[in-house]
Amino acid sequence: MKKVKNLEKIFKSRLSLIINFKNLLNYYLVNFHGIKSFIFDKTITINKKLKLRINKINKFLILNKKKIINLRGDAFGFSLMQIDYLFKYLKSNKINSSDLILISPKINNTFLKKILKSKLKLNLLEFKNIYNLLISLFPKKKYFGANFIITPADCGNYDYPSDLKITFSSDECKFGDDLLEKLGVDKSDKVIVISYKSASYFSDLLKESTNFGLHEKNQKYRISDHKKLNKTLNFLKSRNYVPIIFNFLNEEEELYFSNYPRIHSIKDKKDRDFLEFYCHYKSQFSLCGNSGDQFIPKLFGKKTLFHNGIIPHSLSSGIFLPKKFIDKITGKQLNLTQVLSRKIFYYEKSDTNRIKKVSPIYFRDIVHFEKKGIKVLENSEDEILNATKELIILSEKNKLNLNDEQITLQNQIKEIYYNNFYKTDYTMPAKKISGYISPSFLQSNKEFLDNL
């Protein structure tokens, strides 16, 4: 740890000085004005003084046999996706995790920090300025070479074996069970995690933050209606499952879910941070909407129904239930191939500094869908219920009993998604999805498959 602190001193003294207003402005605008950033100033100027500073850091890394990596600790779901991928990358490339130094902005979830430091034994530096530099258009690979590992930002599927295993001690289990008891959950109950992207989440953030950007305001494509979970919740209760609601709730939602355990009834933030992981560890499976919670079950080998999805994020186990897409002019449902053909130009913020086309599964703004004439339609009550029934079978038997025609269809859909995965440099080659696209959804939405 002393060596890591030494690197922190070098970073603070040698690199933070070069982050000026121009570079920060470029960093914050690149996602929203990608074409402009590409045409105008794209990279940080590398002068002789900066090269000397980089050489000093490289000498430190080589001497101590360390590599640096950026971790998006301020983006909960993304950081979990990075961690999942990272351990697959390490195994594939035969790299020891103790040889890494993770550089992150402030990590908001306190238990995630404990997981990184205590359970995964990773070296961690929380230093926002250096993180901002390393995630900007600064050419890391060119100047740090093999001393810098780039983790993917494409959210494609990497179905590789991993040594990532997170467990809880007996004391942690007792602590977690005591917290669940406060919610009215017995340690013998069959726990199910319920999560969705709520409209209240964004409205609350807008009230609380003066720095909430236009990009965040336009993430309506991720939202789903909590009332659409009603049939599923009733079904789960009839099967003696105990659903735990993970969302921040507004007054209407609090009333709606008043008969269910709600994680945010726990007032202490550190306790909630712990429960965000422990509930998944205890759960039979989870139902997660288009939020970062979808990545937690993978840390414990648990299966998930990813409902109201846009892209099958790293779906190596579980069931993907996609949203539907409507043509805004004709009012008709678009099939998957039609949707994915409506691409936009995207400025890849990486070492390559290039513009490329990406399909709507990578759109991160409702404005992009609207500009391409696409209306996003969320899943119905019955779609979520039927997919949940499939997930229960999958959890119990570890596979779905599909006929040859259904298996062929699954493979065709997966191939379409695979061919539209975002391709970037320095990652392991993407593998095919090994989970399931909800068979009941495919059966009842022929328009989604119109060309197959």
Side-chain angles (χ1 to χ4, degrees):
M1 188 56 68
K2 186 176 180 181
K3 291 178 181 179
V4 176
K5 290 294 182 184
N6 290 338
L7 179 61
E8 182 176 12
K9 289 180 182 178
I10 294 175
F11 268 129
K12 286 181 177 179
S13 62
R14 301 294 179 182
L15 283 183
S16 60
L17 296 175
I18 66 106
I19 303 179
N20 53 42
F21 176 78
K22 177 181 176 183
N23 295 329
L24 285 176
L25 185 64
N26 185 52
Y27 169 75
Y28 284 115
L29 291 182
V30 68
N31 282 326
F32 318 113
H33 304 284
I35 303 298
K36 291 181 181 178
S37 297
F38 181 82
I39 294 173
F40 298 108
D41 189 13
K42 301 185 294 298
T43 60
I44 291 172
T45 302
I46 307 298
N47 54 36
K48 186 176 180 180
K49 191 175 182 181
L50 179 55
K51 284 182 181 179
L52 290 174
R53 293 168 180 166
I54 292 171
N55 287 338
K56 193 164 189 175
I57 293 172
N58 276 327
K59 286 179 182 178
F60 174 91
L61 294 171
I62 293 169
L63 180 65
N64 293 283
K65 298 181 180 179
K66 301 291 184 186
K67 299 178 185 293
I68 53 176
I69 184 171
N70 262 10
L71 176 73
R72 289 196 59 184
D74 57 341
F76 185 66
F78 194 101
S79 62
L80 295 177
M81 186 270 294
Q82 275 189 293
I83 295 165
D84 173 62
Y85 174 78
L86 174 61
F87 274 79
K88 294 173 181 178
Y89 181 94
L90 295 179
K91 184 173 184 177
S92 177
N93 291 277
K94 298 179 181 178
I95 299 172
N96 194 315
S97 61
S98 63
D99 295 334
L100 298 181
I101 298 174
L102 274 62
I103 298 174
S104 173
K106 181 176 175 58
I107 296 176
N108 295 321
N109 187 294
T110 55
F111 196 71
L112 173 58
K113 192 186 302 187
K114 181 177 180 179
I115 286 174
L116 294 171
K117 288 186 172 182
S118 302
K119 294 183 181 293
L120 300 181
K121 309 298 183 185
L122 291 166
N123 301 307
L124 176 67
L125 285 180
E126 291 177 274
F127 192 39
K128 185 176 181 179
N129 280 354
I130 299 304
Y131 169 82
N132 284 346
L133 169 67
L134 294 178
I135 204 172
S136 72
L137 300 179
F138 173 71
K140 282 80 65 177
K141 277 292 181 182
K142 180 177 180 181
Y143 290 96
F144 285 113
N147 294 330
F148 187 91
I149 296 177
I150 295 178
T151 51
D154 59 351
C155 302
N157 175 266
Y158 297 96
D159 188 25
Y160 288 79
S162 171
D163 287 335
L164 177 60
K165 290 181 176 63
I166 298 175
T167 58
F168 287 84
S169 68
S170 57
D171 287 342
E172 287 174 328
C173 288
K174 184 182 184 308
F175 177 64
D177 289 341
D178 289 344
L179 287 176
L180 288 175
E181 190 175 351
K182 291 181 181 180
L183 296 177
V185 179
D186 189 83
K187 63 181 180 181
S188 62
D189 285 336
K190 296 191 297 182
V191 171
I192 306 298
V193 171
I194 303 290
S195 175
Y196 63 100
K197 183 56 71 176
S198 166
S200 64
Y201 172 80
F202 291 109
S203 61
D204 289 345
L205 281 177
L206 284 170
K207 291 175 187 175
E208 295 174 5
S209 176
T210 56
N211 297 319
F212 208 52
L214 182 64
H215 176 61
E216 286 84 358
K217 292 178 186 177
N218 289 338
Q219 292 202 22
K220 294 178 183 177
Y221 69 93
R222 300 174 67 187
I223 291 172
S224 54
D225 184 355
H226 58 280
K227 299 186 191 70
K228 301 283 180 69
L229 294 169
N230 185 52
K231 287 185 178 180
T232 296
L233 290 170
N234 288 333
F235 173 76
L236 289 171
K237 283 199 301 182
S238 73
R239 297 287 296 266
N240 296 317
Y241 291 108
V242 178
I244 298 180
I245 310 301
F246 255 47
N247 291 70
F248 284 102
L249 306 175
N250 60 23
E251 289 184 15
E252 179 192 345
E253 291 167 320
E254 282 283 359
L255 183 61
Y256 190 82
F257 292 118
S258 59
N259 294 325
Y260 297 94
R262 301 175 303 286
I263 191 174
H264 289 283
S265 297
I266 301 294
K267 301 304 179 186
D268 186 273
K269 182 184 180 301
K270 287 187 178 180
D271 290 348
R272 291 199 309 271
D273 289 349
F274 174 83
L275 274 181
E276 283 198 44
F277 291 93
Y278 187 70
C279 285
H280 282 279
Y281 172 74
K282 286 277 289 188
S283 72
Q284 305 293 307
F285 52 82
S286 62
L287 313 182
C288 293
N290 212 325
S291 67
D293 291 339
Q294 66 182 278
F295 297 105
I296 308 178
K298 295 191 71 175
L299 303 180
F300 306 107
K302 299 298 177 73
K303 292 180 171 55
T304 309
L305 167 61
F306 179 18
H307 63 87
N308 283 293
I310 301 293
I311 176 178
H313 291 81
S314 301
L315 187 71
S316 54
S317 179
I319 293 175
F320 177 66
L321 179 59
K323 284 191 173 185
K324 290 167 282 191
F325 304 95
I326 308 298
D327 187 284
K328 292 183 69 175
I329 295 177
T330 65
K332 294 181 179 180
Q333 184 174 340
L334 296 167
N335 65 50
L336 182 58
T337 301
Q338 289 172 327
V339 173
L340 297 181
S341 68
R342 300 191 181 189
K343 298 182 179 182
I344 61 169
F345 283 106
Y346 173 77
Y347 180 39
E348 184 182 41
K349 189 176 66 174
S350 71
D351 281 18
T352 51
N353 300 328
R354 62 189 173 194
I355 291 179
K356 63 193 305 182
K357 282 188 174 183
V358 295
S359 66
I361 56 175
Y362 289 106
F363 288 2
R364 294 292 178 263
D365 196 315
I366 193 66
V367 173
H368 295 153
F369 288 98
E370 291 172 350
K371 285 184 176 180
K372 287 297 179 179
I374 300 171
K375 179 182 177 181
V376 183
L377 191 65
E378 66 183 85
N379 297 132
S380 69
E381 275 192 273
D382 287 331
E383 287 170 347
I384 298 174
L385 172 61
N386 291 331
T388 299
K389 292 177 180 178
E390 293 166 342
L391 184 66
I392 292 174
I393 295 172
L394 182 61
S395 297
E396 293 174 348
K397 299 184 177 181
N398 213 34
K399 68 174 184 177
L400 296 181
N401 188 23
L402 303 182
N403 59 38
D404 290 343
E405 183 181 347
Q406 289 174 308
I407 292 172
T408 298
L409 183 58
Q410 287 281 323
N411 291 334
Q412 288 176 321
I413 296 292
K414 291 175 185 178
E415 186 73 19
I416 294 172
Y417 277 119
Y418 174 80
N419 290 332
N420 281 272
F421 278 160
Y422 180 90
K423 303 296 191 299
T424 189
D425 300 325
Y426 309 115
T427 62
M428 295 183 294
K431 290 190 176 183
K432 304 296 175 66
I433 304 169
S434 61
Y436 293 89
I437 314 301
S438 171
S440 58
F441 174 85
L442 298 180
Q443 178 66 32
S444 60
N445 286 277
K446 300 299 185 184
E447 299 92 339
F448 192 79
L449 320 167
D450 220 21
N451 59 322
L452 297 178

